Amino acid sequence: FDESPPAALARLAREFQGPYLVPPGRTIFRQGDTGDFLYFVLAGEVITSRGGKELCRYHRGDFFGEAALLGKRPCQRIFTADVRRGAAPVAVLRIPHAAFVEDLAEGGPLTELVAPSRWQYLASATAPL
């Protein structure tokens, strides 16, 4: 976000919701749920899986959930996001689909952040398990 104009960052900051504290053993969203938010990890570890197979672990500064937000309307999640039982709680911020799409359409701060990863996630959504 270093090169983003202050006005764009201020607008984006107003769209964030949270922080939310997610207790151990809780699911943030499940595969097949409607993707209505992009999540940013503030603290803790989020584990994503599909078909019972672990895909990735997300930590402070990471984001997840953008693949379901890339269309004009939210689509189904391609994986499940959980906080492992016995782990520390996870703190997240989230941004709604409408704000996410608006920011991308305007070439806002999320564009540079999300663009490098979007094709990776879209490819993983169709990869065989």
Side-chain angles (χ1 to χ4, degrees):
F1 295 131
D2 290 343
E3 297 178 18
S4 298
L9 288 174
R11 182 185 49 74
L12 185 62
R14 287 190 296 273
E15 299 293 344
F16 278 103
Q17 299 174 358
Y20 295 98
L21 192 62
V22 184
R26 286 307 249 323
T27 297
I28 298 171
F29 58 77
R30 296 185 189 287
Q31 183 176 346
D33 287 353
T34 299
D36 44 5
F37 295 98
L38 169 67
Y39 293 86
F40 290 84
V41 180
L42 300 176
E45 179 180 70
V46 174
I47 301 172
T48 58
S49 62
R50 184 172 60 230
K53 179 181 175 186
E54 184 177 313
L55 298 175
C56 193
R57 291 176 182 237
Y58 296 89
H59 302 94
R60 181 183 176 146
D62 293 335
F63 63 94
F64 61 95
E66 75 280 7
L69 304 180
L70 291 173
K72 291 182 182 179
R73 282 184 249 126
C75 63
Q76 291 185 335
R77 297 287 185 186
I78 60 173
F79 55 77
T80 297
D82 293 306
V83 179
R84 186 172 39 94
R85 291 188 193 284
V90 170
V92 296
L93 288 175
R94 66 185 194 182
I95 190 164
H97 175 263
F100 175 79
V101 171
E102 180 181 337
D103 186 80
L104 291 184
E106 294 175 358
L110 292 177
T111 304
E112 289 183 34
L113 184 68
V114 173
S117 67
R118 74 166 47 160
W119 304 118
Q120 169 192 346
Y121 290 117
L122 293 175
S124 71
T126 57
L129 293 177

